């Protein structure tokens, strides 16, 4: 086949289409977070329903990525990309006008499925359209687009909400979708893999069910629900996980090749997105809600306050690639995680009221440290397995990254709620007050100090998890590097 170049008009337009889609996905993630306090005033805005605004999107996104990649190879990468972007754009237009939060949760789940199709189809289309140095530059620009959307998302969402309300944030996502559609239909070449395997539908269904049940159970615990429902959901999730392992081991063409986990380096790389979920992604959700719900900042001010955390993602990934020419990637990744853990520890010692400047400094340190592994882990996911397993390794890594974000948010929400219950029980408060504080419905001056104590305790847990991941990653990747050096 003939490959495109970045200097050709069609090559530039194809890249613009996929990068526009890459911008709208993190913007949609930010939109759901920044808009949550305003959406809390809508009908049906229970704490559990508000939690699903972000979790429903991440769950369907993460659990369907590998399925979308298989469909793109089988039925056409451009076709899957255009279908995903079209559905995402339509749902973005509908999201601002739903009658209740429950409807919004359903649309967000569908948006996640559309996002999986857009990302998997667009990435595969670029990989087949470009070759050599042009492909490397194209994927570098694609990563920069994600970073730009991540960094600018809170500011754009905050500014739009200040001007036109929370509905406008979802309409902005639709504008990027329209741009991706117009350019993609005209310029993106169609391609497919004639030898592509049929999707592993049993594996996909069981995997999605397992993630959904686990997240639902954790959110039920965070909501303070009593009775059998939360334990029952978690137990059923465990059973689904065991069934998934059994199914994949017996499948001729599994969705997830479990044999890859015998490579210690591969396991270490999977821990990298887990670590960044707990030291970076959950803070993208918790801190805006904290600034708006507890301290009364408006949406625009909150978006600006988030810049020290998100802005380093525009710079640090590229810097990490440059540094990796002289410093082993494992060393850079672990150093970045230790730096991020230090930023979280500093953040736990201050509050926006007592020292806003120190809070922003702690956020900058956390974002800078998180950016180092962020820029290296995609390439590492390919380099730690044999070349013939690269496609499966990439799919697993992408799934762990996105699905891990949903799991991390659910588990952190549950932990925060339990810490609040403990603080309120010690002071004679009620569990209902904990539920309201956890969902940012309440701003009582007497209860806010208790919420602040619970949040600080949560930050110490996030710091400990980040450090544990850094140690495990060092253990998995460092010995392998010495072995490779000896083999050379």
């Amino acid at each position: 086949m003939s490959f495109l170049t970045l200097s050709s008009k069609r090559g530039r337009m194809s890249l613009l289409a996929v990068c526009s889609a890459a911008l709208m996905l993190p913007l949609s993630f930010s939109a759901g977070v920044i808009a949550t306090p305003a959406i809390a005033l809508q009908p049906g805005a229970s704490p559990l329903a508000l939690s699903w605004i972000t979790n429903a999107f991440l769950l369907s996104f993460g659990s369907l990525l590998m399925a979308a990649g298989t469909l793109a190879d089988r039925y056409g990468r451009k076709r899957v990309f255009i279908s995903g972007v079209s559905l995402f754009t339509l749902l973005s237009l509908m999201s601002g006008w739903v009658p209740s939060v429950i409807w919004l949760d359903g649309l967000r789940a569908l948006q996640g499925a559309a996002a999986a199709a857009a990302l998997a189809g667009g990435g595969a289309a670029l990989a087949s359209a470009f070759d050599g140095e042009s492909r490397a530059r194209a994927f570098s620009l694609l990563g920069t687009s994600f970073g730009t959307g991540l960094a600018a998302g809170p500011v754009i969402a905050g500014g739009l909400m200040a001007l036109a309300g929370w509905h406008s944030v979802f309409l902005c996502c639709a504008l990027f979708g329209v741009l991706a559609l117009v350019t993609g239909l005209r310029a993106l070449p169609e391609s497919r893999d004639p030898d592509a395997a049929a999707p592993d539908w049993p594996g996909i269904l069981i995997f999605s069910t397992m993630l959904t049940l686990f997240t639902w159970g954790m959110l039920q615990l965070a909501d303070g629900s009593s009775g059998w429902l939360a334990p029952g959901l978690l137990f059923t999730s465990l059973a689904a996980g065991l069934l998934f392992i059994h199914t994949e081991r017996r499948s001729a063409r599994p969705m997830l090749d479990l044999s890859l986990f015998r490579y210690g380096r591969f396991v270490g790389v999977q821990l990298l997105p887990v670590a960044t979920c707990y030291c970076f992604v959950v803070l993208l959700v918790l801190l805006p809600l904290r600034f708006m719900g507890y301290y009364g900042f408006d949406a625009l001010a909150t978006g600006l306050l988030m810049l020290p955390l998100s802005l380093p993602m525009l710079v640090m990934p590229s810097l990490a690639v440059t540094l990796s020419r002289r410093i082993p990637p494992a060393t850079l990744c672990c150093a970045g995680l230790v730096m991020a853990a230090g930023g979280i520890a500093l953040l736990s010692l201050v509050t926006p009221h007592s020292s806003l400047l120190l809070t922003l400094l702690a956020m900058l340190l956390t974002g800078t440290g998180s950016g180092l592994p962020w820029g290296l882990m995609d390439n590492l996911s390919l380099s730690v397995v044999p070349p013939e397993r690269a496609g499966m390794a990439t799919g697993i890594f992408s799934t762990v990254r996105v699905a891990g974000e949903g799991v991390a948010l659910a588990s952190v929400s549950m932990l925060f709620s339990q810490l609040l219950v403990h603080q309120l029980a010690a002071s004679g408060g009620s569990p209902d007050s904990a539920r309201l504080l956890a969902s940012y419905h309440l701003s009582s001056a007497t209860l806010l100090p208790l919420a602040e104590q619970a949040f600080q305790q949560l930050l110490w847990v996030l710091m400990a998890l980040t450090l544990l991941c850094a140690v495990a990653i060092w253990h998995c990747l460092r010995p392998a590097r010495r072995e490779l050096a000896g083999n050379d």
Side-chain angles (χ1 to χ4, degrees), residues 87-106:
L87 180 59
F88 192 97
T89 303
L90 176 63
L91 293 171
S92 295
L93 292 172
M94 296 172 59
S95 295
W97 312 107
V98 292
S100 71
V101 177
I102 302 300
W103 279 89
L104 180 60
D105 291 340

Side-chain angles (χ1 to χ4, degrees), residues 109-123:
L110 292 175
Q111 266 194 321
L119 180 60

